[in-house]
Amino acid sequence: GLNQLPETLVQRLKNFVEQGGGTLIIPGDQPVIPQYASLFKTFQFGDLLAMSGTPGDKENFLALQHFQWGHPIFEGLFEKEKQTINPIEVYAFYRIKAAAGAENLIQLSDRSPLLLHTIQGKGAAFCLTTGLSPEWSQLPTKGFVVPLIYRLIYFSGTQKIADRQQVLAGNLFQQQFTNL
């Protein structure tokens, strides 16, 4: 949700991720476009083309349409037989021409990326192309978003499969987290 991203912050974030950390980038409501374009290139998400849509214009929207269901962030979020969600409208977003190495995890109805994933060194980076305010999309009002954001943070913090564990309710769990 930051609007300004100084180059020093971008480089520190890049170093953090390359050493095994994770990041989830969500644009602010009034971002400095050249700084975000530099951020997207640094994390190999692709080229920031332009803003699409108008925040608050609920007459014109795109919907979430295609999900890469095989990605671990979606694992366990839905019943296995029926992987569907109710329509979610997006009124404004940043149009990105995805880089070849960026995984497009969620696409909008015009095939624009909504959620991108890249691997940077030992870490992971995710990018949501819309802000999390009701003027930009219905995401903040849908129950699907809370577990999705949780899974993005969890996956970013546990890049190696060996770090991921299942813990049953009522069982003792102790874990020392690093690089968060």
Side-chain angles (χ1 to χ4, degrees):
L2 294 176
N3 290 321
Q4 293 194 19
L5 297 164
E7 188 59 33
T8 54
L9 175 62
V10 172
Q11 286 306 311
R12 288 180 63 204
L13 191 57
K14 179 182 180 198
N15 291 339
F16 170 75
V17 173
E18 286 178 344
Q19 293 173 13
T23 187
L24 169 58
I25 297 164
I26 302 171
D29 291 339
Q30 305 266 323
V32 177
I33 299 298
Q35 292 177 355
Y36 266 83
S38 173
L39 175 76
F40 292 163
K41 281 191 180 288
T42 299
F43 283 98
Q44 301 169 352
F45 290 122
D47 296 322
L48 176 62
L49 302 176
M51 184 174 159
S52 186
T54 305
D57 180 7
K58 298 185 179 187
E59 298 299 318
N60 298 303
F61 60 87
L62 295 174
L64 278 64
Q65 186 168 27
H66 178 73
F67 292 74
Q68 191 173 324
W69 295 116
H71 195 279
I73 65 163
F74 298 117
E75 187 178 302
L77 285 182
F78 301 95
E79 296 176 17
K80 292 196 188 285
E81 313 84 47
K82 188 178 178 184
Q83 294 177 325
T84 61
I85 62 169
N86 291 331
I88 298 176
E89 298 172 358
V90 176
Y91 313 114
F93 67 99
Y94 291 97
R95 191 172 299 278
I96 296 175
K97 179 181 177 191
E103 281 186 276
N104 192 352
L105 302 181
I106 301 176
Q107 282 183 348
L108 295 169
S109 50
D110 72 346
R111 298 194 174 271
S112 296
L114 180 76
L115 179 63
L116 292 167
H117 171 232
T118 62
I119 301 294
Q120 303 291 310
K122 297 178 184 175
F126 292 94
C127 176
L128 194 62
T129 62
T130 188
L132 284 181
S133 69
E135 292 78 31
W136 284 66
S137 72
Q138 290 181 332
L139 286 172
T141 63
K142 300 294 183 173
F144 160 74
V145 175
V146 173
L148 176 65
I149 298 294
Y150 168 79
R151 294 300 297 255
L152 291 170
I153 293 168
Y154 177 74
F155 187 84
S156 296
T158 57
Q159 187 62 16
K160 298 185 300 279
I161 301 234
D163 290 345
R164 298 186 195 132
Q165 299 178 24
Q166 287 188 351
V167 180
L168 299 176
N171 289 354
L172 180 63
F173 174 72
Q174 293 181 339
Q175 177 73 37
Q176 182 176 349
F177 293 96
T178 59
N179 294 326
L180 293 178

